[in-house]
Amino acid sequence: MTIRATNQSRARVIPLRPFPAAPGPAPAREPLWRDLVGDVLRRERLSQERTLKDVADAARISMAYLSEVERGRKEASSEVLAAAARALGLSLADVLALAQGELIRLSGARSRSTGQHGRPAGPMGTVRLAA
């Protein structure tokens, strides 16, 4: 047997991609902050029966940009969020508190569905936001 044949018989194959996950339900994805805030803005706007154009004009931002923020497509700056909140008669703290409540609700539902009772929300314990 040659050296080359010996080396080939000992060669290990190292996969470049991880092995596919075991079949079953996909793990729940963490909610994105931009989705939560966008949902809050849209829910508040619709509850006031106002149009996207009306709120965008009052906030002095483009209608297209506000639409993207509401759909969670854009990460709005704190200035844009504050302007949209003011246009809806809310403070930035109000919008963030509503989004936090939604995050807690969704996180609680996710941990109940996976059977993780009593476990802290993260490495630092409960979720707390400051505005």
Side-chain angles (χ1 to χ4, degrees), residues 1-102:
M1 192 179 267
T2 67
I3 293 175
R4 184 176 204 175
T6 304
N7 287 342
Q8 286 178 350
S9 65
R10 290 187 208 166
R12 277 186 355 178
V13 175
I14 301 172
L16 298 177
R17 294 189 182 115
F19 291 108
R29 141 181 114 80
E30 288 281 334
L32 297 177
W33 186 246
R34 67 176 184 241
D35 291 332
L36 296 171
V37 171
D39 288 344
V40 166
L41 292 174
R42 177 166 287 188
R43 196 169 39 245
E44 287 298 316
R45 177 178 62 79
L46 293 175
S47 74
Q48 295 176 18
E49 298 180 355
R50 293 176 66 188
T51 65
L52 198 60
K53 180 173 180 9
D54 176 40
V55 174
D57 288 346
R60 299 178 51 103
I61 57 180
S62 79
M63 192 172 70
Y65 190 74
L66 179 58
S67 174
E68 288 185 319
V69 169
E70 282 188 353
R71 290 180 292 133
R73 303 283 186 205
K74 295 287 183 186
E75 292 271 0
S77 68
S78 58
E79 291 86 0
V80 168
L81 290 178
R86 278 193 306 275
L88 292 166
L90 302 170
S91 70
L92 180 57
D94 294 332
V95 171
L96 297 181
L98 290 168
Q100 178 191 12
E102 187 66 9

Side-chain angles (χ1 to χ4, degrees), residues 107-131:
S107 296
R110 197 179 91 250
S111 57
R112 277 193 302 278
S113 69
T114 58
Q116 298 172 351
H117 293 290
R119 199 173 110 186
M124 303 304 283
T126 59
V127 177
R128 301 205 189 276
L129 299 176

